[in-house]
Amino acid sequence: MLINIIIMLIQILLGITLPLNNPVLIFSVILFIILLAPILLHRLKIPDLIGLILAGALIGPNGLHIMDRDSSIILFGTVGLLYIMFMAGLEIDMADFKKNSVRGLTFGLYTFLIPMLMGTAAGVYLLDFSYPTSILLASMFASHTLITYPIVSKYGVTKNRAVNVTIGATIVTCILALLVLAIIVGMSNGVLSHEFWIRLSVSTILFAAVVIFIFPIVGRWFFKRYDDKIGQYIFILGLVFLASFLAEAAGLEAIIGAFLAGLALNNLIPNTSALMNRIEFVGNAFFIPIFLIGVGMLVDFHVFVADWTTIWVAAVMVVVATLAKYVSAWLAYKSFRYTKSEFTLMFGLTNAQAAATLAAVLVGYQVVIGTDVNGEPIRLLNESVLNGTIVMILVTCIIASFATQKGAREVALADLAEEEIVDSDDTEDRILIPLSNIENVEELINLGVTVKSKKGKASLTALSIIQSDNVDTSAEKRSNLLLEKATKTAAATDNLLTTLLRYDYDVANGIKNAVKEHKITDIVLGLRKEGQISDTFLGNLTDRVLSKCATTTFVYRPSQPFSTLKRCIVVIPFHAEREIGFPYWLVRIWNIGKNTGNKMVFYASSSVLSVLKETHAKHPIDAVFNEFDNWDDFLIISRDIKDNDALVIVMSRKNYPSYTKSMTQVPTYLNKYFFQNNCILVYPMQIGIGEQEVGVFKSIPHAEPFESLEDMGKVLGKLFKKNK
């Protein structure tokens, strides 16, 4: 009655008819809900997700009926759900995912079997259902939806081990739950046969093969040939929804296809890339909120005052579903020896029921297994279960949102506290990118973003130098264009870049002065894509920069977009671990593997490999280690390098521990044998070069030669914590 009065007042005051049918007004209302719901509830410390779900319930057909849950809401909501699963696959750390695959499988079995057992028992003994109905009901408890994943993304803890394990477990439990659904429905309809299993197995294998093997090939081909940013985004969305359709055609749920597409395209879309930033922005700003509003529209408040049977069924479903997920997360927490914050995070991520649960209850409700004495159909899942499911979705989403927010906040605060300790005696990294060619500006900025530490812990500076004897309007205009393009490229990746325009009689001298004045820790120099590397590199410029600047220096020659690479072949000289700059460039190279997901293939001496393997054990990336200590036989590397590989060679300046005369032949090798590959030459930071000690070495935690590997390991550990 009260709702009807409110609806009448709205229609009279605004002079409109409800539900709304004007598409412009409907879209406007949705946008203001997305904007205002989180703001209004933020002061109450209520998660944004709950605000959107409650707003959907309020304006939906079971609330004020301001709008219907029509085809447009269903369409964009479906896109939002698939977006969540796609982003989960895209943002996952593949090295950690592989490392934790056994734990992911274990937790998946926990969070499937425990709800299945508890749900079946509750259905039989508390709700007096048949065994098929009880098993189907239990499968609804076993599945879950990563509705609260945006909260994890918001707090920046998507790389946390508990999140990786939970995402793996989600796929395991959803596949098993949907398989149970197919079996129970098949048994009820009498279509369960050998042909059913053969068809399901073959179609699933074909679907997985196409997405895992064909999608990366097609994606790499497209990115190499088309650099249009809008076109790349549309192309990626097309692949995601094609994978979702293929999953449905194979007899699986579309969310499985979206997640698998995220895993398949993981290496092609680095976390630091502009494309990744666009994907996250559009999803979090539009598609995902509409999905949450659509979930809210399913909520029927009348259920709370319905008959006692419905209330009892709803109460049992909520309690059993929540308790089963809590017990599953607790067992995983004890088994894996995780922290309490990670336990809360795992419970929050797995407790929300939505997509797969809703699909199961609708399918079960449509299956008629007989008729009663009055001729009314007896359904596999009755109306009480259907209404109870809506209540369960609302309550579990609310509980999951609070739990996920609490766990994610605690994990983020723990990481922050650790970083503050690490950074207490350390300044931020400062990366200088001198620009001269408009062609490679984007690639140089992307490399700078890829090797730097996480956002807020490193700054990027783009430098353009106008020689004093060549000051004219065209030179200034050209420099401004270079800096403008650099700024736009960095902004597209959500990174702030400082531009610097200098006038100097000599380019190398200008770079040296900029390094000294701005306490630069790293330099990224570039070559033209089609340029030859001369014996003196860049026509003496690099030699002069290296002789004047002591900082870690990267000389980069791109031949294809960095995102299209599969592997990085890293060649490290003998005694590299004795260099003072060893831990500083190693962290940068490690960041390439971490941020791109590319396989890192290291060639180094046994002493260097021991340090690399110890580092890998603590900070896993996808890496292979090969012993190599004879630079006179450098061309053996050419046997291993393939298309879509990058070659990274760690060099050294003369008269330093890891320098060898064979390094003088590197330019010839690169031009003759590796011209089609991206090449990065890395020069470690050194002391005693030019006048640099006054500036840079006051900003690093260790500026003296290491007395032992233990001392170097301590510095390396601090740097990795900073780059976590």
Side-chain angles (χ1 to χ4, degrees), residues 690-709:
E691 304 169 359
Q692 212 51 47
E693 298 90 328
V694 177
V696 173
F697 295 115
K698 286 185 178 180
S699 66
I700 65 174
H702 192 287
E704 297 178 359
F706 299 107
E707 294 182 0
S708 65
L709 287 178

Side-chain angles (χ1 to χ4, degrees), residues 444-463:
L444 290 179
I445 299 299
N446 287 336
L447 178 60
V449 169
T450 302
V451 302
K452 83 179 188 70
S453 58
K454 70 178 189 176
K455 297 174 184 178
K457 294 298 178 185
S459 63
L460 300 174
T461 300
L463 170 67

